[in-house]
Amino acid sequence: MTEPLEIGKTLIKPGSRVKLELPAARLYTDTEISIPVEVINARKPGPAVFISAAVHGDELNGIEIIRRLLTMKSFRLSKGTIIAVPIVNVYGMLNQSRYMPDRRDLNRSFPGSAKGSLTGRLAHLFLSEIVSKCQYGIDLHTGAIHRSNFPQVRANLNDDETMQLARTFGVPVVLNADIREGSLREAAASKGCKVLLYEAGQALRFDELSIRAGLKGVLNVLSHLGMIRKRKPSKTVEPFVSNHSFWVRATSSGTVTDRKRLGDHVNKGDVLAEICSPIGSAVDILKAPNSGVIIGKQNIPLVQEGDAMYHIADFETPSQVAEHIEQLQDDLLPQSDNNIVSQDL
């Protein structure tokens, strides 16, 4: 039998499912702010996995992924423990902002301190009460405001087990991403917790493809770890690993007409966009400096010189990656499917 788990002052016994509020801090209105947490602690021992979203408060897709996971009628945990935290940065979500009220980025503030800034205290709380109790984690993100990411997993692929988990997640694009100083991934690694970072969609928007791909990926990982029953075989998504990616920046300012979409394969020299002055005269043609696949792009049709516009990843076979991306879109979001109600995948 699993051991009882304590989070905050709440004891979660084996074989139980508990919703709790983890006190964070008080607002200056004397209103207490808490982090919502749901814990499923199976009777049989197994891995402990945290699933988190909204570390950046305006990144909403992950909140919906966790909601759908927890409300699936067919979802049963056979062993181990899941700690689901749909909203880590509760302050940012309330303000529809990426950042904390003190303008700090929570995902650059780990491990934090119990006596530090507001952001540092929240980072310390999440790390000590949630992450430190887990061997694995899945952290759900989106692109920034006005920027979209195609569903992708970022992880330390130099670790064999993390590489296997990233492949198991089941999206076509896997990036070998360096661990940034102050990030949740860095702090988790110091606690012996292996983390996958899922990036998909854009801030302040629900994107159905990103949500469905993320939910399916979470279930794939839990199945691989033996925590839920093995899933029925489905179409296998062969992931492609990229060890390098780069942003193409605007070479002038103006309005943008896109010529390439998210997920497109581009060759060196292909036209990505036209940047024009507001009065209509052509200003510049933006071209791809190298071949690759577009895994992220700016959506707003306005740019200043130097703005990051297209995120392109290098692959050995970029055309095959683009084909798999198209296949994922067809499988998870067919053209005939106008029903975006939560479904068991």
Side-chain angles (χ1 to χ4, degrees):
M1 185 175 290
T2 56
E3 295 292 329
L5 177 70
E6 186 173 356
I7 296 179
K9 296 181 180 180
T10 302
L11 187 68
I12 302 97
K13 297 179 180 179
S16 63
R17 180 169 179 166
V18 176
K19 294 180 180 178
L20 61 96
E21 299 288 330
L22 186 61
R26 287 185 178 272
L27 300 176
Y28 39 69
T29 59
D30 201 32
T31 302
E32 187 168 324
I33 293 293
S34 300
I35 300 173
V37 180
E38 184 161 346
V39 183
I40 307 174
N41 199 16
R43 290 187 181 278
K44 293 182 179 180
V49 179
F50 77 83
I51 307 169
S52 59
V55 168
H56 295 129
D58 59 358
E59 298 182 354
L60 308 182
N61 279 334
I63 300 173
E64 178 65 5
I65 290 170
I66 293 176
R67 186 194 71 80
R68 293 190 189 186
L69 175 73
L70 296 176
T71 57
M72 284 178 65
K73 293 181 179 179
S74 63
F75 182 66
R76 297 288 185 276
L77 189 68
S78 58
K79 69 177 185 179
T81 305
I82 290 176
I83 306 177
V85 189
I87 309 167
V88 180
N89 183 355
V90 287
Y91 305 94
M93 186 191 179
L94 286 171
N95 295 315
Q96 299 180 17
S97 169
R98 178 182 179 88
Y99 302 105
M100 292 282 290
D102 56 8
R103 299 301 299 166
R104 288 181 169 89
D105 186 335
L106 180 59
N107 207 28
R108 298 293 178 270
S109 302
F110 286 93
S113 168
K115 297 182 179 180
S117 66
L118 176 62
T119 303
R121 292 179 186 218
L122 183 62
H124 172 78
L125 177 69
F126 185 65
L127 185 65
S128 59
E129 292 289 346
I130 305 296
V131 178
S132 64
K133 296 175 170 66
C134 298
Q135 293 84 51
Y136 304 97
I138 304 174
D139 190 28
L140 307 170
H141 287 260
T142 77
I145 192 78
H146 302 312
R147 287 184 181 168
S148 292
N149 285 328
F150 188 83
Q152 59 196 258
V153 168
R154 302 178 183 181
N156 173 22
L157 304 184
N158 297 319
D159 177 78
D160 290 341
E161 187 179 20
T162 304
M163 166 69 93
Q164 183 59 49
L165 292 173
R167 288 185 173 277
T168 299
F169 196 93
V171 290
V173 176
V174 175
L175 297 183
N176 190 8
D178 292 336
I179 294 179
R180 296 189 177 185
E181 184 178 355
S183 69
L184 172 57
R185 282 204 297 143
E186 180 189 53
S190 71
K191 300 289 185 180
C193 180
K194 302 173 191 274
V195 176
L196 300 182
L197 190 152
Y198 175 65
E199 282 272 5
Q202 64 175 315
L204 295 177
R205 296 290 186 273
F206 275 177
D207 177 76
E208 189 64 17
L209 174 66
S210 300
I211 293 167
R212 292 189 183 190
L215 176 56
K216 188 174 182 180
V218 170
L219 292 170
N220 286 342
V221 170
L222 296 179
S223 177
H224 174 79
L225 293 173
M227 300 175 68
I228 61 176
R229 62 179 175 82
K230 294 295 182 181
R231 308 193 65 212
K232 293 180 180 179
S234 59
K235 292 183 179 178
T236 301
V237 176
E238 178 62 35
F240 293 84
V241 176
S242 173
N243 291 304
H244 175 68
S245 65
F246 58 93
W247 279 94
V248 181
R249 297 183 177 275
T251 50
S252 57
S253 303
T255 59
V256 177
T257 301
D258 285 313
R259 297 303 180 198
K260 294 294 182 181
R261 302 173 302 171
L262 204 62
D264 281 354
H265 165 223
V266 296
N267 292 310
K268 182 179 180 179
D270 282 355
V271 175
L272 300 175
E274 297 174 2
I275 305 174
C276 302
S277 69
I279 59 174
S281 58
V283 174
D284 208 351
I285 302 295
L286 189 69
K287 296 183 179 181
N290 290 296
S291 299
V293 175
I294 298 173
I295 61 169
K297 69 179 292 294
Q298 177 175 303
N299 295 325
I300 190 170
L302 304 170
V303 293
Q304 296 284 355
E305 183 176 340
D307 283 352
M309 292 182 63
Y310 294 90
H311 190 193
I312 299 177
D314 286 339
F315 295 95
E316 291 183 4
T317 55
S319 59
Q320 290 185 22
V321 179
E323 290 174 5
H324 278 64
I325 285 175
E326 187 174 346
Q327 185 63 54
L328 179 71
Q329 293 169 325
D330 291 341
D331 291 345
L332 293 183
L333 203 62
Q335 292 296 318
S336 60
D337 185 4
N338 294 317
N339 177 19
I340 60 171
V341 177
S342 174
Q343 300 178 11
D344 283 5
L345 295 180

